[in-house]
Amino acid sequence: MMPSFFVAHGAPSLVLEEHAYTSFLKNLASTLPSKPKAIVIFSAHWEQSQQTISAVDTHGTIYDFSGFQEELYQITYPAKGERTLSETIKALFASHGIDSVLDEQRGLDHGAWAVLKLIYPEADIPVVALSVNRYLSNEQQYQIGAALASLREQGVLIVGSGGTVHNLRQVNWRTQEVDDWAEAFDQWIQEKVEAWDIEALMNYKDLAPYAQAAVPTNEHFIPLFLAMGSGDLHREAKLLHRSYQYGNLSLSCWQFN
């Protein structure tokens, strides 16, 4: 069975950087039991009020940022889509009472292509992108991921791309020191995820230390619940990497078996 992952995508420039986290991502594919038949990825940067599923022939590359290195705007990730898989996902959602639609135009935003470029740089695996909806409950997010769990048995890699600590108003672009509050929040999350303490995690805003500072808006946190939900059958979680940039921007990767 293919594991699923939560992967932090950091700043758009991540794909050009060289440090411990990018080295980790470049090596991640070698740890998998086999090459995925396809990749299903939830990106924090694709927000829709209705669950949306990409159904393109070949993905375009969306540069949904400004003010970064010119080199970033030359990167492409022309992965193929997989229409049959898109329709399978729609059927799985329907069987779980989740309304969804297909999108035949949208390409991959940097929440998707920046991490995929590091993990599978050849773009030779079909990709189906999925949207997120910040207005659903945490329980609903988890159930969306759980609805796709059977895809893992078919060799499909499920990825949630976001960030556990993601507060752009708090980042300090000039420091390498890590803020204590960011570490405290991530440590609480680690303890609850490893214990698969769903009740606590669903109420992280009230229970976790510094939750408001770490997660001022939840669109980057949602992919953790989505990826975790896809591992509901065995409920085995492992933190593979955690580091920080700019004082508190969390770069972490969780594996769910």
Side-chain angles (χ1 to χ4, degrees):
M1 179 180 289
M2 192 67 64
S4 54
F5 294 95
F6 168 78
V7 179
H9 60 248
S13 55
L14 179 76
V15 70
L16 299 178
E17 297 167 358
E18 294 185 5
H19 46 65
Y21 185 54
T22 55
S23 294
F24 162 79
L25 290 178
K26 290 175 182 178
N27 187 60
L28 185 59
S30 67
T31 70
L32 298 184
S34 61
K35 187 175 182 179
K37 294 181 180 179
I39 299 170
V40 171
I41 184 164
F42 292 91
S43 171
H45 288 273
W46 187 11
E47 291 192 65
Q48 295 289 318
S49 59
Q50 183 180 28
Q51 182 63 60
T52 309
I53 307 161
S54 72
V56 301
D57 292 328
T58 302
H59 288 280
T61 306
I62 301 173
Y63 307 101
D64 52 332
F65 48 82
S66 61
F68 286 89
Q69 304 97 311
E70 182 60 31
E71 185 179 355
L72 272 178
Y73 302 91
Q74 309 306 315
I75 295 175
T76 61
Y77 196 80
K80 299 293 185 181
E82 179 54 75
R83 179 76 185 215
T84 300
L85 178 57
S86 298
E87 292 175 347
T88 297
I89 292 171
K90 193 174 190 302
L92 284 172
F93 282 148
S95 70
H96 287 78
I98 300 166
D99 187 37
S100 65
V101 295
L102 300 179
D103 183 296
E104 299 179 345
Q105 297 183 342
R106 192 179 191 277
L108 298 176
D109 57 63
H110 84 269
W113 64 256
V115 292
L116 293 180
K117 185 76 171 179
L118 291 168
I119 302 171
Y120 289 106
E122 300 302 317
D124 57 352
I125 300 173
V127 174
V128 173
L130 298 178
S131 66
V132 302
N133 180 356
R134 70 170 72 193
Y135 299 106
L136 299 179
S137 69
N138 295 331
E139 290 83 1
Q140 288 173 304
Q141 310 289 1
Y142 186 91
Q143 291 304 319
I144 288 172
L148 302 182
S150 63
L151 295 178
R152 297 172 52 205
E153 300 174 358
Q154 303 170 33
V156 175
L157 178 64
I158 299 174
V159 179
S161 175
T164 52
V165 180
H166 188 274
N167 187 339
L168 298 184
R169 293 187 176 184
Q170 293 288 335
V171 298
N172 184 338
W173 301 96
R174 297 180 177 84
T175 186
Q176 296 300 317
E177 296 183 10
V178 182
D179 292 331
D180 291 342
W181 62 265
E183 289 187 302
F185 177 80
D186 265 342
Q187 183 59 39
W188 187 92
I189 294 296
Q190 179 180 349
E191 292 171 0
K192 303 308 178 185
V193 172
E194 288 177 341
W196 216 277
D197 188 343
I198 297 299
E199 183 176 354
L201 286 166
M202 295 299 124
N203 295 283
Y204 77 92
K205 289 184 178 180
D206 297 322
L207 300 178
Y210 307 105
Q212 183 56 44
V215 190
T217 58
N218 68 343
E219 74 286 345
H220 278 74
F221 197 80
I222 289 168
L224 176 65
F225 287 133
L226 296 166
M228 192 175 182
S230 70
D232 183 71
L233 181 61
H234 298 293
R235 298 193 169 193
E236 296 176 357
K238 183 178 181 181
L239 180 64
L240 301 183
H241 180 96
R242 183 165 68 216
S243 56
Y244 297 86
Q245 285 184 308
Y246 318 125
N248 51 65
L249 186 61
S250 179
L251 302 176
S252 60
C253 178
W254 281 93
Q255 178 175 320
F256 303 106
N257 294 321

